[in-house]
Amino acid sequence: MKRRAYAMVVAVAVVMGLLAFICSKSLGYPLRDPDGFLGPAWLRLPLLVAGAFIADIVPRTLFRARGNPGRYKAEATLLIKEHWTKDRITLVVVGLISFYVTYVSYRNLKNFLPFIMSDGDGRPTKYDYALHRMDEWMLFGHDPSTILHNVLGTGVSAHVLSWIYLIFLPMVPISIVIWAVWSRNVSFGYWFITAQCICWALGTLSYYVIPTLGPNFFFPWLYKDLPDTGVAQLQDGLFNGRQNIRFDPFADGVQSVAGFASLHVAITVSLALVAQYTLRTKAFRVALWTYSGLTILATTYFGWHYIADDIAGLAIAIVAVYLAALGTGQKFERWGRRSHPTTSTDEIPIDDPDDELAPVLSK
């Protein structure tokens, strides 16, 4: 008997989609496909796949043809047959659709948060005071952002960290496409996309368990010393969007303010974790871990999250990567320090293959 490597990611997408639909019908508010990098998700993902296809085929066709136009068609056809197999196409289609449904459901469930989690007088429930006091308790009475502003300064460091933080916006869809199109083992692509979807799902759950606005939105005076950066403009836009949606749920757009847990941390750490197990180039792995560390720093520096949010985001990443590994046929060894796939397709045997087969499958 076999099971499919995409079973878990499809299940996550279905659950998230059903929750978003039920909440939409219960509240009487419409579901929306929020705009983002390159437009709405339904448009930007196919565009990114098309770009990846061209980037995959054209340069290698030109290289193999050695400048002979008469060989272009034959070489391109051969490359497509070699790489764009049935399993690869299934990964791209199923993976991207599942991610699309999960992500759009996440954005809508986040949008509904102030209306579902409200107290007796209709105001959104928030736990910002409690988490802020926890931050100060952990730092012996000091605010973490104030410490970072004093240590790092509020000049060049603010602009550098803003750039690091905003890379996240295009990085999310681009990384999904990269793992779907270029992962050397199809099961690695399913592993990464499944882990990402689980992160979005668990992050949504955390918003409803401990709803917060985040330090910058709840204690804005702590961040008045920061310069006008792309992050500051984004925060202003999110705050205005939240106010518009709260008082007119049918206004255009969605509100995207929620503090616990940090999905910037969860997504970037899960990216680095899967890369640690699947990428052969050490420079890429080091770069992704460095990016994750700087992102964690930026979340506190700009007041997006409390320390507890970052810890929760880290926990979500670890859980998501582990569960996704189990669901897509990865086998850990040496106390989790290494792993190998138990399949090279979307079909996973119920019983793992013998260890001597693993090196063959991982090639």
Side-chain angles (χ1 to χ4, degrees), residues 276-295:
Q276 184 67 35
Y277 288 108
T278 63
L279 297 186
R280 290 170 171 166
T281 305
K282 183 178 179 180
F284 289 155
R285 301 197 300 268
V286 171
L288 289 173
W289 280 116
T290 302
Y291 168 62
S292 297
L294 290 173
T295 299

Side-chain angles (χ1 to χ4, degrees), residues 10 54 97 108 143 173 203 261:
V10 170
I54 294 172
I97 290 176
N108 279 275
D143 176 76

Side-chain angles (χ1 to χ4, degrees), residues 54 102 112 123 156-157 186 297:
I54 294 172
T102 301
F112 299 148
R123 295 181 180 180
V156 175
S157 57
V186 168
L297 182 66

Side-chain angles (χ1 to χ4, degrees), residues 12 19 71 79 91 95 121 126 128 144-145 192 197 234 265 277 325 328 336:
V12 172
L19 288 174
R71 295 175 55 189
L79 283 169
L91 166 62
D121 61 2
K126 297 179 288 291
D128 288 87
S145 62
F192 178 75
C197 288
L234 177 60
V265 173
Y277 288 108
T328 58

